Amino acid sequence: MKKILITALLPLAIFASEKSYDGYTYFSVGVENIKYVEDITLSTGEKVHSEAKATSPVYVSGSLVRVDDLFDFSIDLSSTLLPAEIDETWHIDGALAQTDKFDAMINSMQFLGQYKINNNHRVVAGATYKLNTYKRYTFKDENGNILTDSTTNAKLGLIEERVATLYATTGYWYESTAHASPNALRFKFNALLSQSIWNEASNTGFEKVTFNELSAYSLESSGYVGYPVMDGLEVGLFAGYSYQKKPGTDVASDGHTKWPDNTLTLWQGGVSVVWNFSKKEPK
């Protein structure tokens, strides 16, 4: 009889454990460090290399929604709060040729369906949309002289580049334990690969020119560790890494490239608050 009773109760215990993996919402603030690089080969054969590094405040927010025992759904959003103004340098064949002021707004929206091998290990797939805006101004030559328009002799104005990319995303997601489990550290980790399926970029430095390129890709990984501070509320630390690559196109006859080979390397880190106040522990 005792063996029969244990066997009968086992499915109920498993069900209770499954139900404890409820969804949650989170909000994070921290800093992000970016490194943006462009590489161009001109029609003359000269190689142009630009580089800009910046550290800015960032926020990250999102939620995980429990669908059923097999599937979850996650939404993750991030954006630069206030872009830092920094110096960008341009070199031609290794020699300094130009500098300018530079700032970057990095925005991302990610929507992933999660297939649960079990509650800890998940295979994820979905879409990621990224909108990056780069602004350049106060252009100077290698000697620090303000650059002017050769026709009007006026100072070169603001140049803004906007890059919008939609990616197909897949990867792995790990959750160590249920959100806000009593007296337990919770770890979260993911590793994602994204391939562009739609891309559009525009640059005010080129009149009526819109770029389209589908060979871009992105590698991303993020981690989190948190601890419950009260029922339904967890506080922790997060860190994230992203590498975005967009190969260049051929150089046009006037010596300008329509799409420079460029990479964006992004690091993020900060503090997270995670909650689900409707969560009820199994009896």
Side-chain angles (χ1 to χ4, degrees):
M1 174 63 74
K2 186 175 182 181
K3 182 182 292 187
I4 295 174
L5 179 61
I6 292 174
T7 304
L9 290 177
L10 184 59
L12 295 178
I14 294 175
F15 178 75
S17 175
E18 290 288 329
K19 291 298 286 182
S20 69
Y21 275 79
D22 291 334
Y24 53 79
T25 302
Y26 74 91
F27 181 83
S28 309
V29 291
V31 295
E32 65 180 8
N33 180 269
I34 72 164
K35 178 181 178 182
Y36 181 71
V37 173
E38 290 189 1
D39 288 292
I40 308 166
T41 300
L42 302 179
S43 57
T44 59
E46 295 173 303
K47 296 186 181 299
V48 180
H49 173 85
S50 73
E51 185 172 306
K53 297 179 181 179
T55 300
S56 304
V58 66
Y59 87 88
V60 185
S61 64
S63 62
L64 184 138
V65 179
R66 180 181 173 85
V67 178
D68 56 32
D69 290 345
L70 282 179
F71 296 99
D72 283 352
F73 179 75
S74 62
I75 303 173
D76 298 279
L77 313 172
S78 71
S79 180
T80 305
L81 284 174
L82 179 65
E85 179 187 272
I86 51 97
D87 292 317
E88 181 180 37
T89 58
W90 295 79
H91 292 79
I92 299 179
D93 289 338
L96 180 65
Q98 177 184 302
T99 65
D100 57 70
K101 294 297 182 182
F102 177 93
D103 68 52
M105 282 283 294
I106 311 300
N107 303 282
S108 175
M109 296 190 298
Q110 190 169 83
F111 307 91
L112 298 175
Q114 302 191 7
Y115 171 74
K116 293 181 281 189
I117 301 172
N118 55 44
N119 273 319
N120 306 115
H121 303 281
R122 299 136 183 260
V123 177
V124 299
T128 302
Y129 174 77
K130 296 182 183 293
L131 176 62
N132 300 338
T133 302
Y134 310 111
K135 293 181 180 180
R136 297 180 172 96
Y137 45 95
T138 314
F139 298 90
K140 297 180 181 180
D141 64 18
E142 68 276 20
N143 297 315
N145 300 312
I146 297 293
L147 293 176
T148 58
D149 187 282
S150 58
T151 303
T152 65
N153 205 36
K155 286 198 310 182
L156 295 178
L158 173 72
I159 294 179
E160 179 176 299
E161 179 178 324
R162 300 195 332 177
V163 184
T165 309
L166 180 64
Y167 295 91
T169 301
T170 188
Y172 168 76
W173 186 296
Y174 173 76
E175 299 259 354
S176 67
T177 188
H179 163 255
S181 297
N183 303 315
L185 283 173
R186 185 169 72 89
F187 300 92
K188 184 174 75 170
F189 168 81
N190 65 44
L192 306 172
L193 171 64
S194 299
Q195 174 66 46
S196 64
I197 56 176
W198 175 85
N199 188 93
E200 184 171 295
S202 59
N203 189 312
T204 57
F206 296 87
E207 184 178 359
K208 297 182 180 178
V209 176
T210 299
F211 309 115
N212 293 278
E213 178 61 53
L214 294 180
S215 57
Y217 66 89
S218 172
L219 303 173
E220 297 180 51
S221 182
S222 66
Y224 164 83
V225 56
Y227 191 81
V229 294
M230 59 179 289
D231 287 345
L233 180 64
E234 197 175 79
V235 175
L237 301 174
F238 80 94
Y241 169 79
S242 172
Y243 177 84
Q244 301 173 36
K245 176 70 173 181
K246 296 181 176 63
T249 60
D250 294 334
V251 176
S253 59
D254 63 356
H256 294 290
T257 181
K258 291 185 177 180
W259 183 267
D261 187 284
N262 63 80
T263 60
L264 174 67
T265 306
L266 174 69
W267 293 91
Q268 294 178 334
V271 178
S272 295
V273 178
V274 188
W275 68 90
N276 180 355
F277 293 117
S278 63
K279 180 182 178 68
K280 294 182 179 179
E281 293 296 328
K283 301 295 185 181

